[in-house]
Amino acid sequence: MSLEGGEGAGKTTVLKALHERLLQRGFEVVSTREPGGTPAGEAIRALLLDPAHTLAAQTELLLMFASRAQLVETLVEPALARGAVVLADRFTDASFAYQGGGRGLSMALIAELERVFVRRKPDFTLLLDLDVAAGLARARSRGAPADRIEQERDEFFENVRKAYRTRAAAEPQRFAVVDAGQGVEAVVADACAVLDRFLDSRAGARP
Ligand code: T5A
C-alpha cells in the first residue's frame, strides 16, 4: 500500500500512524520511501534532490525508476513473498504526478516503465490532498533549505496536484482521498479510518 501527496502534505506524519495501526492489527509491516528506501536508492535520492544538479526531465524520470526498480527487486518483492505488508511513502503514482503532471512527460511512457520495471500497483493508495500554498508553507516551515524539486514554481505543484486528483478519480477502488488541510489529529484519524475500512473489506486478507 502507498501514501501519496504534494509537498508538505503530512505523509511522514501519517505514515507513522498507519504503520502502528497495521502492527496493532497483527501484520508484519515494512515501511519505506521513494526515492530511496535501499542503500543504492538513497544514493540516487541524494543525486535527485541536490539543488547543485540541473537534471533533464528524462534523467529525473529514469532516476526515479532506477531507485524504484532497486526497491522492488530487493525489498518489496521479498517482503510481500514472506507475507509482510509494504507501506510505501510514495510509489509509481508520484512519477505520474510529478514527472507526468509536473514536467509534462508522456503518461504512456511512464505507464510503460511501470509495466516493465515495477510490474505491480499498490492494492491501496491513500492520497493526502492539500492546497499547494499551504503544503509549501508547511514544508518551508521546517527551516531546511529547499531541495531541487521544492524549488519549482507554484504552477508545477498545481499540475502535480491535478494529476494526483485525476488518478484518484480514475481508480476510486484503489484510492482513498483524505483532506490534509485539517489539523494533524483529524488527518491521522481520517487516514486510520480509511485504512480500517480497506482492511475490513479485505476480510483478513493481506493488503
Ligand atoms: N518525487 C518522488 C518525484 O518527483 N517522482 C517520484 O516518482 C517520487 C517517488 C522527495 C521528492 O521527490 C519527488 C517528490 C518530492 O519532491 P519526499 O521525500 O516524499 O519526496 O518529499 P516531500 O513531499 O518533500 O516530503 P515532505 O517530508 O516535505 O512532506 P511530507 O512527508 O508529506 O510532510 P511532513 O509529514 O514532513 O510534514 C511537513 C511539515 O508539516 C507539518 C509537519 O509537522 C512538518 O513540519 N504537518 C502539519 N502541519 C499542520 N497540519 C497538519 N495536518 C500537518 N501535517 C504535517
Side-chain angles (χ1 to χ4, degrees):
M1 52 199 305
S2 62
L3 204 49
E4 299 281 358
E7 306 299 304
K11 291 177 290 81
T12 308
T13 312
V14 170
L15 186 103
K16 287 182 195 141
L18 296 186
H19 186 113
E20 283 306 312
R21 189 63 144 226
L22 285 161
L23 287 178
Q24 281 165 10
R25 292 194 57 148
F27 295 100
E28 182 199 346
V29 194
V30 177
S31 285
T32 185
R33 70 167 180 180
E34 282 202 11
T38 64
E42 291 294 325
I44 295 170
R45 176 188 178 91
L47 173 60
L48 271 163
L49 298 185
D50 185 347
H53 298 302
T54 304
L55 298 181
Q58 288 88 344
T59 309
E60 182 179 273
L61 174 69
L62 291 172
L63 286 172
M64 293 293 176
F65 270 92
S67 171
R68 185 165 302 128
Q70 182 72 11
L71 185 78
V72 167
E73 293 300 324
T74 66
L75 188 141
V76 174
E77 293 299 344
L80 294 178
R82 65 172 188 270
V85 174
V86 176
L87 182 55
D89 184 345
R90 299 192 186 279
F91 202 57
T92 316
D93 290 300
S95 292
F96 284 101
Y98 280 79
Q99 283 66 53
R103 301 279 185 227
L105 293 178
S106 157
M107 296 290 188
L109 169 64
I110 299 169
E112 185 61 8
L113 291 169
E114 178 184 41
R115 189 185 68 76
V116 174
F117 296 114
V118 186
R119 302 181 302 276
R120 65 163 70 243
K121 284 185 183 191
D123 291 348
F124 175 68
T125 298
L126 180 63
L127 173 61
L128 293 176
D129 183 50
L130 180 63
D131 173 73
V132 167
L136 290 173
R138 279 187 198 168
R140 285 168 190 153
S141 74
R142 284 179 307 201
D147 66 37
R148 192 182 58 81
I149 295 178
E150 283 168 352
Q151 291 180 355
E152 281 299 329
R153 63 208 185 289
D154 287 5
E155 188 193 356
F156 172 89
F157 296 111
E158 293 291 355
N159 289 332
V160 168
R161 184 182 188 199
K162 208 180 296 172
Y164 268 134
R165 287 159 66 113
T166 300
R167 290 184 70 72
E171 287 185 74
Q173 70 292 354
R174 175 163 72 90
F175 276 91
V177 182
V178 164
D179 174 8
Q182 312 172 85
V184 181
E185 281 170 20
V187 174
V188 166
D190 281 3
C192 287
V194 291
L195 173 65
D196 282 339
R197 272 203 299 278
F198 170 73
L199 293 175
D200 294 343
S201 76
R202 299 278 296 239
R206 175 171 55 79

